[in-house]
Amino acid sequence: MEHETHAHQHTPAHTQAHAPAATWAVAVQATLHCLTGCAIGEVLGMVIGTAFGWGNLPTTVLAIVLAFLFGYSLTLRGVLRAGVGLRTAVRVALAADTLSIAVMELVDNGVIVLWPGAMDAQLDDLLFWGALTISLAIAFVVTTPVNKWTIGRGKGHAAVHRYHH
């Protein structure tokens, strides 16, 4: 009987270890992860588009596509390292990051579009880097509560947590 009681006490603790609490710290960590991938893709896309003299629309589209690509790639890397198959890893990355990246990109690009002159700033212009930095910071602040909410529902970045060691 004592062994059964111990098993019942162990199960909830074991479950808690696999389902992260929806704390602000966990949400910030998930959002920083998302921000890293988004920022790499966003900067790379804007640098490429600006360097090639592309217009605002193709440059923005490239930046968004690369933000999603790098955002998903960072999650994929971690999940694949846990020994999960590629198909499962892709599903986990899509489930974990889609809403977070979408909110981050919507806010980030919205700020850039609304910022006077930011869309036309060049790589050697302080406005280019300043607007990009501030827009990503605002996107981080807006996306963190979204991630906290999804993690609290067992969605979003919570899907990745079980694959971390």
Side-chain angles (χ1 to χ4, degrees):
M1 190 65 139
E2 187 178 310
H3 182 64
E4 287 178 19
T5 305
H6 178 68
H8 288 292
Q9 289 172 347
H10 181 67
T11 305
H14 184 68
T15 303
Q16 286 175 344
H18 289 291
T23 64
W24 283 107
V26 170
V28 164
Q29 190 72 20
T31 309
L32 282 172
H33 183 265
C34 176
L35 178 68
T36 302
C38 287
I40 292 168
E42 189 83 24
V43 170
L44 192 58
M46 293 179 98
V47 166
I48 291 169
T50 304
F52 283 122
W54 293 357
N56 290 336
L57 184 60
T59 299
T60 302
V61 169
L62 178 63
I64 292 169
V65 167
L66 289 176
F68 272 91
L69 184 70
F70 279 93
Y72 288 139
S73 295
L74 290 178
T75 298
L76 267 174
R77 187 188 66 183
V79 175
L80 287 170
R81 202 179 308 137
V84 176
L86 182 61
R87 183 180 302 244
T88 300
V90 167
R91 279 199 300 260
V92 169
L94 292 174
D97 293 339
T98 300
L99 180 61
S100 182
I101 296 171
V103 169
M104 189 159 286
E105 285 303 295
L106 185 67
V107 173
D108 170 45
N109 286 288
V111 169
I112 297 283
V113 166
L114 295 174
W115 192 308
M119 290 296 287
D120 299 316
Q122 297 299 306
L123 295 177
D124 60 355
D125 191 342
L126 181 61
L127 178 60
F128 177 92
W129 297 104
L132 183 60
T133 301
I134 291 169
S135 69
L136 286 168
I138 293 168
F140 175 82
V141 169
V142 172
T143 307
T144 299
V146 171
N147 282 332
K148 185 178 188 305
W149 178 75
T150 59
I151 292 165
R153 295 179 60 239
K155 306 283 187 210
H157 207 265
V160 175
H161 189 75
R162 77 179 98 171
Y163 297 104
H164 287 273
H165 294 296

